[in-house]
Amino acid sequence: MKKILPKITLSVVGLASTLMLGGCNLVIMDPKGTVGQGEKQLIIMSVIAMLCIVIPVIIATLFVAYRYRRSNTNATYAPKWDFSTTIEILVWGIPMCLIAFLAYHTYVSSHELDPYKPIAAPADNPNAKPINVQVVALNWKWLFIYPDYGIATVNEMAMPVNTPVAFRLTSDATMNSFWIPQLGSQVYVMAGMQTQLHLMSTSTGTFRGLSNNYSGSGYSEMKFKAISTDQKGFDEWVEKVKASSKQLDSKDSEVYKHLREDQMEYAKTHEGNVLHQEPIYYGTVGHHLFDDIVGQYNDGHFNVHNHGNSSAAPAQSNDMHSGE
């Protein structure tokens, strides 16, 4: 009975782990954007390539264990054996070829999926102009500024389907990471720095955006909605935001200061989940708000470069980015 209990315990733990994993939503394997699709293809190719090594090794291990079991008297007995050219070639040559294969494709995909690399308009929408979106990570919330439309939103953004989106990102709080899993690359943002990201959705829908970097208690609720719709739907969304009477004139305005301040103490003393707040629309936004937010950490100045791309939006000289 004592021997059976540990086995039952292990079975229960294994079953519980499986059930918990069953609740995971692997959205990265259901991409809705060009970058996400490229990342999915890279993941699948890498897994298949590695399985070409793993599966034969597992089969060979089982074969050797069975073939040279103690009870098999027909197995070859060679106590003085010490070297095999064939085995050495297989053990070293095949893994080296696999590493070279993965290294090449990783290098190529790293440049193809570079967050700084602008995305070309699709063939079915060749005249599509990129939508410019400026992103500011605040305490447990995301601020989106649309400079071409003079509007801003909190915890919600929208984009036309099959239209490139050029992001400029920074933080006015702790270091954070911006990520829309189904669209692609996540990038880190820091105060006083700015970075770039280019994405494009290929399907309509509402996608989950989130903070992918631990930045203190409550960060897990730092989520937003990324809406992909047709051009008509996007225009209607813009008009809805413009209809708001709220204004976000500058970083020194009381509205922005209130938006920027910490909300944790407020959350502790009030009912409801104020960290994951509903979207806020600002019908008017200051023209240089984003640059002022970045510049306040650099005495109002910042040097720019284009990361080797003359058509890209300006980026901070001491920027940082990471594509995954």
Side-chain angles (χ1 to χ4, degrees):
M1 183 68 179
K2 293 182 178 179
K3 294 182 179 180
I4 297 176
L5 286 176
K7 294 182 178 180
I8 296 177
T9 302
L10 289 174
S11 300
V12 171
V13 172
L15 178 60
S17 301
T18 303
L19 292 175
M20 286 189 291
L21 288 173
C24 296
N25 185 8
L26 300 178
V27 293
I28 59 174
M29 298 308 289
D30 182 28
K32 303 298 182 182
T34 53
V35 175
Q37 290 167 357
E39 292 175 343
K40 176 183 177 181
Q41 292 173 0
L42 179 62
I43 292 173
I44 293 176
M45 181 205 67
S46 300
V47 170
I48 292 175
M50 289 185 287
L51 286 177
C52 290
I53 298 294
V54 173
I55 292 177
V57 167
I58 292 175
I59 294 175
T61 301
L62 296 175
F63 171 77
V64 170
Y66 177 78
R67 172 69 176 173
Y68 296 98
R69 67 192 186 279
R70 185 176 181 179
S71 61
N72 185 13
T73 57
N74 295 324
T76 302
Y77 179 63
K80 295 184 178 181
W81 177 90
D82 62 356
F83 183 81
S84 170
T85 301
T86 301
I87 293 178
E88 290 295 325
I89 292 176
L90 292 175
V91 170
W92 294 102
I94 295 179
M96 289 174 65
C97 292
L98 174 63
I99 292 172
F101 174 81
L102 292 176
Y104 170 77
H105 284 281
T106 301
Y107 176 84
V108 171
S109 63
S110 295
H111 287 79
E112 290 180 347
L113 303 175
D114 185 354
Y116 278 74
K117 183 179 179 181
I119 297 176
D124 57 350
N125 191 18
N127 298 320
K129 294 182 179 180
I131 301 295
N132 295 307
V133 181
Q134 298 167 343
V135 183
V136 182
L138 299 172
N139 287 308
W140 303 287
K141 63 182 76 69
W142 296 94
L143 171 64
F144 299 94
I145 303 171
Y146 288 74
D148 299 334
Y149 298 92
I151 59 175
T153 61
V154 172
N155 287 349
E156 181 179 292
M157 65 159 295
M159 70 197 88
V161 68
N162 292 324
T163 300
V165 181
F167 293 93
R168 290 174 63 195
L169 308 97
T170 190
S171 173
D172 199 6
T174 59
M175 177 178 174
N176 225 300
S177 179
F178 176 89
W179 192 26
I180 307 176
Q182 286 183 278
L183 296 189
S185 305
Q186 63 95 9
V187 294
Y188 292 103
V189 293
M190 292 181 66
M193 300 183 181
Q194 61 175 308
T195 188
Q196 302 175 41
L197 175 64
H198 293 84
L199 299 174
M200 184 174 70
S201 65
T202 55
S203 301
T204 59
T206 300
F207 312 126
R208 182 183 63 164
L210 49 87
S211 164
N212 196 41
N213 185 77
Y214 180 75
S215 55
S217 179
Y219 90 100
S220 59
E221 293 299 328
M222 193 171 170
K223 302 172 184 176
F224 63 91
K225 293 190 296 184
I227 302 171
S228 175
T229 181
D230 56 22
Q231 187 62 49
K232 180 181 178 182
F234 176 74
D235 293 338
E236 292 175 350
W237 180 85
V238 170
E239 292 302 319
K240 180 174 68 173
V241 177
K242 284 186 175 181
S244 173
S245 59
K246 295 181 179 180
Q247 298 181 356
L248 198 61
D249 297 327
S250 69
K251 69 177 182 62
D252 298 318
S253 67
E254 291 300 321
V255 175
Y256 182 75
K257 289 180 180 179
H258 177 73
L259 183 65
R260 182 182 181 276
E261 68 184 5
D262 294 354
Q263 297 293 314
M264 182 58 71
E265 291 301 322
Y266 184 87
K268 291 178 180 179
T269 57
H270 290 71
E271 295 181 359
N273 186 2
V274 298
L275 295 180
H276 189 74
Q277 57 184 288
E278 291 300 314
I280 303 174
Y281 299 149
Y282 296 96
T284 304
V285 66
H287 293 297
H288 304 290
L289 178 59
F290 182 85
D291 291 335
D292 290 341
I293 292 172
V294 176
Q296 67 180 325
Y297 296 95
N298 302 294
D299 297 324
H301 303 287
F302 54 91
N303 298 319
V304 299
H305 72 280
N306 292 328
H307 195 64
N309 186 352
S310 59
S311 62
Q316 182 69 15
S317 59
N318 54 347
D319 57 19
M320 62 185 297
H321 77 282
S322 174
E324 295 185 353

